[in-house]
Amino acid sequence: MSASHPLDRAVRNALTSRQAPLSIREGGVLRFDPAYATFAAAGPDATAEDWVALARSTGPVALFETDPVIPAGLGEVSRIDCLQMTATALTADGRDIAFEALTDADGPEMLALATLTQPGPFFSKTHLLGPFIGIRREGVLVAMAGERLSLDGFSEVSGVCTHPDHRGHGYAGVLMRAVGQRILDRGDTVFLHARIGHAATIAFYETLGFRPRITPSYVVMDVA
C-alpha cells in the first residue's frame, strides 16, 4: 500500500481535517480530547519531549498505525493488533428491524453498553465523535453502532455492540449497514477496524462488503 494513502495515518488526518476542533496540541503532537479518545499522532516536527509533555498533561495517549514506534520517555501500557477494512458498497439484507437515532442524552446508557461488551475504546464523549443509532427492547438499549474517525473522504464505523442477552438476531448487521450506507451516501468510503485473531468477526464484516487493507496496532502509552 502507498504510504501516502489517507487511511495509513487515519488519526493524524482526522485531527488535521474534520475533527480538528477536538484536538489538543503539544508541540508537534496532536491528540483527541481524552473524553473522546486516546488517539494521538505526530507531525514531522514532533519530538519525544512533546509526547512526554502531552501524556503528563492529558493522561495516556495511543498510537494507532502500522509499526508504531514508542517515543523515548513513554512506556507501553497495552496493545491491540487490528485489521483495517474498507468498503465502497455494502451487501443487501432484507431484515426489517427498527432502530433509532441516539443523542447525547443517551450517552450514559451507551457507555454502559460499551463497557459491558468491549467493542473497543469508549469514553464519556466517544458517542459524540459521530452520529450513533441503536435498538431498544422494552425501553432498554441493547445494540448500537456509530461513527468514530472522520477524515476527508473517509468515515469509520465503530462502537458496534450488542448486549449478550440479545445476540443472534442480526442487530449488528442491520445497524452497520445503516451507518455504512449513510457514510457512502454522503460520498465517503467507509472503513472499520477489527481485532486480529477474531476470525468470526472479520468473516462477518466480509459478508457486509468490507475487505482487508492494512494491519495497524492500537498502542496505549504513558509516562515511563
Side-chain angles (χ1 to χ4, degrees), residues 21 61 114 136 156 162 199 204 212:
V61 292
R136 293 185 179 277
E156 181 191 24
T162 303
F204 166 62

Side-chain angles (χ1 to χ4, degrees), residues 41-55:
D45 56 343
T47 66
E49 289 75 16
D50 294 338
W51 279 101
V52 171
L54 184 64

Side-chain angles (χ1 to χ4, degrees), residues 93-112:
D93 188 315
R95 300 181 202 227
D96 184 17
I97 298 175
F99 56 83
E100 63 184 61
L102 300 176
T103 70
D104 191 23
D106 301 305
E109 198 172 4
M110 297 166 74
L111 180 60

Side-chain angles (χ1 to χ4, degrees), residues 9-13 15 24 28-33 37-43 51 54-55 58-65 68 74 149 217-219 221:
R9 302 202 68 199
V11 171
R12 176 71 184 181
N13 289 324
L15 286 169
I24 295 172
V29 181
L30 287 169
R31 71 159 296 165
F32 278 94
D33 180 313
T38 53
F39 299 132
W51 279 101
L54 184 64
T58 65
V61 292
L63 286 168
F64 196 20
E65 53 195 51
L74 297 183
L149 293 175
S217 293
Y218 172 75
V219 181
M221 309 171 295

